[in-house]
Amino acid sequence: MNASNTTNTDTSYIGRPVNRVDGVLKVTGKAQYAGEYNTSGLLHGIVICSPIPRGKITSVSTSDALKVKGVKKVFTHENVKGLPWFDLSYKDMELLPGSPFRPFYSNEILFSQQPVALVVAESLELARYASTLVRIQYETAEFETSLERNLKKGFTPRRGKTGYEKPKSRGKAERALKKADVKVEAAYFHGAEHHNPMEMFSSTVLYENDDKLTIYDKTQGVLNSQSYVTRVFGLKSKNVRVLSPFVGGAFGSGLRPQYQLFMSVLAALDLKQSVRVTLTRQQMFSFGHRPITWQKLELGANKEGRLMGISHTAISETSRFETYTENVVNWSGRLYECENVRLDYQLVPLDVNSPLDMRAPGAATGVLALECAMDELAYALNIDPLELRLKNYTEIDPAMKRAFSSKNLMDCYKQGAEHFGWEKRSYQPRSMKDGKHLIGWGMSSGMWDAMMMPARAKARLTPDGKLTVSSATADIGTGTYTIMTQIAAETLGLPLNDVTFMLGDSSFVFAPFEGGSSTAASVGTAVLYVCQNIKEEVFKLAQKIDGSPFHNTSIEKVVFANGYITSEDDPQQTIAIAEVLQRSGVKFIEEKSTDLKLKNLIKQGKYSRNTHSAVFVEVKVDEDLGMISVTRVVSAVAAGTIINPKTSRSQVLGGVIWGISMALHEDTFLDNNLGRFMNHDLAEYHIPVHADNPEIEVIFVREKDEIINPLGVKGLGEIGIIGVASAVANAVFHATGKRVREFPITLDKVF
Amino acid sequence: MENIAEIKQPGIAQGQQPASEGQLLPVQLNINGKNYLLHLEPWTSLLDALREYLDLTGTKKGCDHGQCGACTILADGKRINSCLTLAVMYDGIPLTTIEGVAEGDTLHPLQQAFIDHDAFQCGYCTPGQICSAIGMMKEGRAQSSNDIHELMSGNLCRCGAYSNIHDAIEQVMEENINPEKK
Ligand code: FES
Ligand code: FES
């Protein structure tokens, strides 16, 4: 561990760039992920997926596969019986309206790459080989997967999944747009994207007698997986323990239990043996994706550049069996001051698997279109794009007509522009050059929710002065382990090394899945509260011990720091925290936090709670070849208190890479003649590599928020990506003079 | 042959015939200075041999097709994608995996630099990045900051930790050229 973590005795850790507490495990290969728990007698499962998008399985022949010595069983819809048929049994915390997909439920095929069989054998090689011997015949039915061809078939969802907010129009947008001095109108389109975390989905089910299961699962929420397994297979919670101490990235893909969990549990219960099922990279394209979306923006302004009217329509795909919703258009009613806003969000059901939340779902899409349109408006008005944003800045949330708990987007614009050197930009497109490269500078705003979810934590302090805090939350690379350790250590005034934070275990106290940038705020607050409770208990004990200096002191008059309780008035009056427990003769102090305090919730309801950002991007475009590279990015973020500037910066760096990827690289091609994603591997599905990495500067502007939670923390997982793709697209326009409205912007579209 | 651990096929009870269509081949792998005798299918990849048969799960599988670099290890000091090669081909050739990069409890300078620069988030690509960087430094082709980006491009990081990975590698390369910088 870094020297600064071990030798510094100053226990105020919040705001310090301490190294990740799980760093050593990760750099030595000792961090174990879901598919890495080996046990003797472990069986391996290989999944077979459907090549057709819609129709029926007409026959299954497993006899050749079963002849292979070492093959245990082939599971298909033909031999899997007795599972519940209620939709409710298969619902997860995402709560999509509709009927969740149930593996092996019938011979019906609902989407291409639908899992249709599981081959279980004594070794991975045997299972893989035997899977090639299973013969399945299909009858294809008519199908439709094209959103573009069916834009007219959209419906307005009445209900949505967890977190869906029905967009609300206001004022008279059509009239305002007609009367506006300057108007722009443009349609934007982006294809499907797949999360593709580096770790493939895997579940290892360790089987014990009487159907007791210990499951290592790749998930963003162990309790979500546990509740799914107990409901689908009719097991008691006490017999199903789900663990997920390390997750090799997820980006939303772990918000719903994936089918390898179902399959490994099914096989383990049937064969009464431990089983692992790991998906292949190709199969990582078989579950949810960021939905293909078509959007239309109309913006109208007066001559001064004040927005008069906004109209935003988005049409997205969903599956035929579930209604997947996102908050796509809502942002257009919240980012700028404007009285007349028309919002319209529609879905087209197609023969695809249900889409799935992917980093900044809805906002990554909606803000992309809005902020490209704002750039178009700036050029129609002949004013600087940043100036246009400043002219329409709003201090209150115009959709809810209420104040923000805090909003410092202004400093994001100012500091971002200054660090980037925006004032040196020449306004005209194609006016900046570097040799044979056209240079383009573009910018964008970003906005996301600052969510608080109910969460709990448990803590135990022992007489050796060590504190262990736990909660059933997750660390998908976000830094949860580290920041929770920091919060706990600072609250109790203990050195970081004396504090251990544990997560990813369904036997711990409740936490929601790690999603929507809510973990730092929600679990962080629970950790703070539980440590405050411990602190009070320690102090009570300290007052009771013989010769205590604190007999007549109140807890407000002492400081917990550096492992000691010290009187504020007289620093000589001090006692080590460990000594308090030792001298009191207690074995430990244990506390659980209750749910968030209600008082806070009512107060919070009066405010809009959001994070904001301003992104500035430089691109260079090869004039002859059309090759685009992003060379420089400044991302300025307002997200309340930053608990750890080091891990926080990493999150935003990652978000910036994701935004560049959305703008220039990522696209899962859907062949509508086959109803199938074609480029389902990492060679054909492009994401940025080292050589695509620009110089990135991350700025966290000061933002004090006393309403959101006692820590003032807002969360950072999503805000880093939002606005990046639009800033890139606007920079490409500035470089080339060409508006590309279809994403990703590949070289063939530029000239 | 002392110092050789014989590994049994998982899933096969002792004394039972190994379950296989064909014949299992004996393979002696030398990993991180230790010898292991395994009996494997001829088509078992080196990556699966490490992860499934030797419980050396520090080496990661991100694609199994040579497209991501997560499985990078060092064979005779050179970086290779262990998913793209068969275990039987490495009989007797010294291999280093992430588990053998540190000297006991003392981290390799690159490992420490990765921690200090926060050169990872989820950590899944990290063992591959570190082994790849060690191999790259040995190749001696990287002369500039840009070269590092270019020559590390076979190692994908979906968390997007590229800036920090680059800075960690650059720091160690500078320290190697100019030890005073340490
Ligand atoms: S697992 Fe070997 S390159 Fe991806
Ligand atoms: S750290 Fe997650 S993939 Fe690189």
Side-chain angles (χ1 to χ4, degrees):
Chain A
M1 203 169 276
N2 183 350
S4 76
N5 289 2
T6 45
T7 54
N8 201 323
T9 52
D10 175 5
T11 50
S12 52
Y13 293 109
I14 294 176
R16 278 209 347 230
V18 302
N19 286 340
R20 264 173 222 262
V21 296
D22 50 344
V24 172
L25 292 176
K26 284 179 174 170
V27 299
T28 54
K30 289 192 187 119
Q32 258 180 300
Y33 300 80
E36 300 180 340
Y37 290 83
N38 293 325
T39 172
S40 77
L42 181 72
L43 300 175
H44 297 260
I46 291 281
V47 181
I48 301 174
C49 290
S50 159
I52 65 159
R54 188 171 182 185
K56 280 185 172 30
I57 298 173
T58 51
S59 76
V60 180
S61 161
T62 57
S63 49
D64 287 351
L66 290 169
K67 270 187 221 139
V68 178
K69 230 168 133 197
V71 172
K72 289 282 184 179
K73 187 159 177 172
V74 180
F75 295 86
T76 68
H77 68 280
E78 289 188 343
N79 61 2
V80 174
K81 299 273 182 286
L83 290 173
W85 55 272
F86 282 118
D87 284 338
L88 206 59
S89 309
Y90 296 85
K91 293 261 182 192
D92 55 80
M93 291 180 185
E94 282 271 89
L95 286 174
L96 269 67
S99 304
F101 169 64
R102 310 159 200 196
F104 304 150
Y105 186 69
S106 75
N107 67 342
E108 232 188 303
I109 301 297
L110 303 170
F111 54 91
S112 185
Q113 280 195 296
Q114 174 178 322
V116 292
L118 177 75
V119 182
V120 180
E122 285 171 353
S123 77
L124 187 60
E125 288 80 6
L126 287 174
R128 199 189 290 142
Y129 168 58
S131 73
T132 65
L133 303 176
V134 175
R135 311 264 172 260
I136 302 176
Q137 272 168 347
Y138 302 86
E139 191 183 288
T140 309
E142 248 181 74
F143 60 87
E144 183 56 84
T145 55
S146 165
L147 178 72
E148 298 97 306
R149 285 204 296 250
N150 293 283
L151 287 174
K152 296 228 163 63
K153 298 209 179 120
F155 74 96
T156 304
R158 271 180 305 148
R159 284 183 316 127
K161 65 176 189 66
T162 305
Y164 178 63
E165 278 168 39
K166 243 184 128 177
K168 275 202 208 91
S169 301
R170 62 175 182 263
K172 296 199 166 65
E174 261 162 64
R175 219 175 62 195
L177 282 165
K178 258 196 209 120
K179 288 208 309 209
D181 298 330
V182 178
K183 198 188 142 186
V184 293
E185 184 181 328
Y188 304 88
F189 180 83
H190 74 73
E193 294 178 353
H194 282 81
H195 311 70
N196 279 303
M198 288 311 299
E199 176 201 18
M200 287 164 321
F201 271 82
S202 185
S203 303
T204 306
V205 179
L206 305 181
Y207 183 87
E208 277 170 59
N209 286 342
D210 300 328
D211 293 351
K212 236 179 139 209
L213 308 179
T214 305
I215 305 170
Y216 290 91
D217 186 32
K218 178 178 175 76
T219 175
Q220 288 172 249
V222 281
L223 293 172
N224 201 20
S225 297
Q226 184 202 35
S227 115
Y228 177 83
V229 168
T230 52
R231 278 177 295 119
V232 172
F233 295 97
L235 302 171
K236 293 210 175 73
S237 300
K238 70 170 185 350
N239 288 335
V240 179
R241 183 172 172 205
V242 179
L243 295 130
S244 189
F246 289 99
V247 181
F251 315 109
S253 59
L255 289 175
R256 303 190 75 182
Q258 296 302 356
Y259 59 80
Q260 90 291 339
L261 174 65
F262 173 96
M263 296 197 170
S264 52
V265 172
L266 174 80
L269 291 173
D270 185 274
L271 300 166
K272 304 215 174 295
Q273 254 180 287
S274 299
V275 178
R276 173 187 304 144
V277 177
T278 304
L279 302 188
T280 63
R281 179 53 64 185
Q282 284 72 13
Q283 288 165 343
M284 295 292 286
F285 292 77
S286 65
F287 48 83
H289 53 278
R290 193 193 295 284
I292 301 170
T293 305
W294 179 91
Q295 300 181 76
K296 188 172 154 197
L297 252 298
E298 287 170 82
L299 300 179
N302 66 11
K303 279 200 241 20
E304 286 74 49
R306 299 291 305 262
L307 282 164
M308 309 299 292
I310 299 175
S311 167
H312 189 169
T313 303
I315 306 176
S316 270
E317 36 148 9
T318 186
S319 65
R320 290 209 198 268
F321 48 95
E322 282 176 312
T323 306
Y324 171 81
T325 52
E326 290 181 339
N327 298 327
V328 179
V329 295
N330 311 40
W331 310 101
S332 288
R334 304 186 64 198
L335 204 39
Y336 301 107
E337 194 182 311
C338 179
E339 269 164 31
N340 306 297
V341 181
R342 188 190 146 272
L343 302 175
D344 182 11
Y345 174 65
Q346 298 175 30
L347 295 173
V348 179
L350 296 169
D351 295 301
V352 294
N353 197 353
S354 302
L356 175 60
D357 282 350
M358 182 164 163
R359 205 167 195 175
T365 301
V367 174
L368 168 64
L370 171 67
E371 286 297 292
C372 286
M374 282 294 279
D375 202 70
E376 304 206 22
L377 182 64
Y379 276 85
L381 284 158
N382 205 22
I383 63 173
D384 179 83
L386 174 57
E387 198 189 322
L388 179 66
R389 268 81 173 183
L390 296 175
K391 276 183 198 266
N392 292 284
Y393 196 84
T394 175
E395 291 289 353
I396 65 149
D397 179 351
M400 307 297 289
K401 306 246 181 302
R402 64 186 181 194
F404 287 102
S405 63
S406 63
K407 174 178 175 178
N408 198 2
L409 175 58
M410 191 51 90
D411 274 357
C412 295
Y413 288 138
K414 281 192 191 146
Q415 293 179 29
E418 193 186 305
H419 286 238
F420 187 81
W422 185 257
E423 57 171 37
K424 292 198 250 10
R425 180 178 187 265
S426 90
Y427 179 79
Q428 287 309 324
R430 297 185 76 94
S431 61
M432 293 170 73
K433 273 198 168 188
D434 170 16
K436 65 178 183 122
H437 286 105
L438 298 164
I439 294 179
W441 287 7
M443 62 85 53
S444 171
S445 322
M447 182 177 184
W448 182 251
D449 292 318
M451 281 180 245
M452 284 292 282
M453 318 262 264
R456 305 181 71 188
K458 183 170 149 183
R460 178 191 278 231
L461 181 68
T462 45
D464 53 2
K466 306 258 187 225
L467 177 74
T468 309
V469 187
S470 59
S471 176
T473 181
D475 188 334
I476 56 175
T478 44
T480 314
Y481 276 117
T482 308
I483 62 164
M484 296 307 156
T485 308
Q486 287 176 263
I487 295 169
E490 168 153 342
T491 309
L492 262 177
L494 293 172
L496 212 56
N497 285 347
D498 287 342
V499 179
T500 307
F501 183 76
M502 300 197 300
L503 50 70
D505 185 334
S506 62
S507 69
F508 295 164
V509 293
F510 178 85
F513 50 40
E514 179 166 42
S517 301
S518 64
T519 299
S522 311
V523 181
T525 303
V527 168
L528 176 77
Y529 284 154
V530 78
C531 291
Q532 281 170 345
N533 292 349
I534 295 257
K535 196 167 152 178
E536 282 164 23
E537 290 308 307
V538 174
F539 190 66
K540 275 187 211 151
L541 290 179
Q543 285 182 309
K544 278 190 221 140
I545 53 181
D546 260 0
S548 168
F550 305 124
H551 275 315
N552 298 316
T553 316
S554 73
I555 192 161
E556 289 79 33
K557 291 273 174 210
V558 297
V559 181
F560 280 66
N562 309 327
Y564 286 82
I565 311 173
T566 309
S567 159
E568 255 182 12
D569 302 330
D570 178 3
Q572 302 297 319
Q573 307 287 357
T574 184
I575 183 166
I577 293 167
E579 198 186 325
V580 173
L581 272 77
Q582 289 157 14
R583 288 182 49 193
S584 309
V586 296
K587 285 209 189 75
F588 57 83
I589 300 175
E590 191 171 275
E591 289 286 325
K592 276 187 208 167
S593 68
T594 49
D595 285 342
L596 297 174
K597 288 176 185 164
L598 193 63
K599 187 177 79 200
N600 206 25
L601 279 181
I602 293 168
K603 193 167 160 203
Q604 280 188 7
K606 295 185 186 145
Y607 297 87
S608 287
R609 290 151 283 145
N610 291 91
T611 50
H612 291 89
S613 68
V615 188
F616 297 82
V617 166
E618 175 185 89
V619 299
K620 289 192 178 166
V621 183
D622 185 308
E623 219 187 332
D624 302 323
L625 302 173
M627 273 161 57
I628 308 164
S629 51
V630 176
T631 45
R632 210 154 58 83
V633 179
V634 174
S635 171
V637 175
T641 304
I642 300 301
I643 297 177
N644 186 330
K646 193 180 263 193
T647 56
S648 296
R649 176 173 170 270
S650 294
Q651 266 186 296
V652 177
L653 290 176
V656 168
I657 295 294
W658 271 63
I660 293 172
S661 193
M662 188 176 195
L664 302 178
H665 302 273
E666 247 171 275
D667 194 5
T668 331
F669 298 108
L670 188 54
D671 183 329
N672 290 316
N673 296 318
L674 298 169
R676 189 171 174 81
F677 290 118
M678 301 310 289
N679 51 338
H680 53 330
D681 65 47
L682 289 178
E684 304 295 325
Y685 185 80
H686 290 178
I687 60 167
V689 301
H690 273 280
D692 297 308
N693 194 67
E695 192 187 314
I696 307 170
E697 184 184 346
V698 178
I699 300 166
F700 293 112
V701 303
R702 260 183 72 88
E703 192 178 65
K704 203 168 160 54
D705 196 319
E706 283 170 342
I707 290 150
I708 189 113
N709 54 53
L711 292 160
V713 171
K714 285 184 170 178
L716 275 170
E718 339 282 320
I719 189 67
I721 175 178
I722 301 162
V724 178
S726 31
V728 173
N730 296 339
V732 169
F733 167 74
H734 184 238
T736 63
K738 170 117 188 231
R739 287 279 175 204
V740 181
R741 301 185 183 93
E742 197 178 309
F743 294 88
I745 306 172
T746 44
L747 72 177
D748 52 305
K749 295 175 191 160
V750 177
F751 292 117
Chain B
M1 286 207 294
E2 27 166 12
N3 192 25
I4 293 183
E6 182 146 1
I7 308 292
K8 290 267 162 9
Q9 191 95 308
I12 294 166
Q14 279 207 329
Q16 207 183 314
Q17 269 298 100
S20 171
E21 287 281 271
Q23 192 113 73
L24 295 184
L25 295 180
V27 191
Q28 192 184 314
L29 292 179
N30 177 299
I31 306 162
N32 304 326
K34 251 174 136 177
N35 285 317
Y36 301 87
L37 182 64
L38 293 118
H39 295 92
L40 296 174
E41 308 278 2
W43 64 84
T44 299
S45 73
L46 182 52
L47 175 60
D48 285 339
L50 294 170
R51 286 173 62 84
E52 305 293 339
Y53 297 95
L54 294 168
D55 209 15
L56 290 168
T57 55
T59 308
K60 304 302 181 196
K61 185 185 281 189
C63 68
D64 220 11
H65 282 66
Q67 299 170 343
C68 76
C71 64
T72 308
I73 63 166
L74 298 160
D76 230 349
K78 285 204 201 85
R79 47 181 176 164
I80 60 163
N81 285 338
S82 62
C83 71
L84 275 191
T85 192
L86 301 175
V88 290
M89 294 160 66
Y90 282 82
D91 202 312
I93 295 171
L95 304 172
T96 305
T97 67
I98 191 68
E99 289 91 348
V101 166
E103 302 252 347
D105 281 344
T106 313
L107 296 180
H108 185 282
L110 248 181
Q111 289 174 311
Q112 187 59 53
F114 264 60
I115 296 176
D116 293 340
H117 287 272
D118 206 35
F120 47 83
Q121 291 183 51
C122 77
Y124 199 78
C125 72
T126 312
Q129 302 277 2
I130 291 175
C131 289
S132 186
I134 293 174
M136 181 197 68
M137 294 193 309
K138 216 173 152 214
E139 287 159 19
R141 286 194 293 150
Q143 305 297 329
S144 69
S145 170
N146 258 345
D147 290 348
I148 298 176
H149 279 309
E150 199 61 45
L151 295 169
M152 285 297 294
S153 281
N155 289 84
L156 302 182
C157 174
R158 186 57 158 162
C159 294
Y162 296 127
S163 298
N164 293 343
I165 296 171
H166 170 273
D167 293 353
I169 297 171
E170 190 172 53
Q171 180 202 315
V172 173
M173 284 176 64
E174 274 169 15
E175 285 169 0
N176 286 348
I177 300 165
N178 186 356
E180 273 119 74
K181 278 211 176 163
K182 271 196 188 178

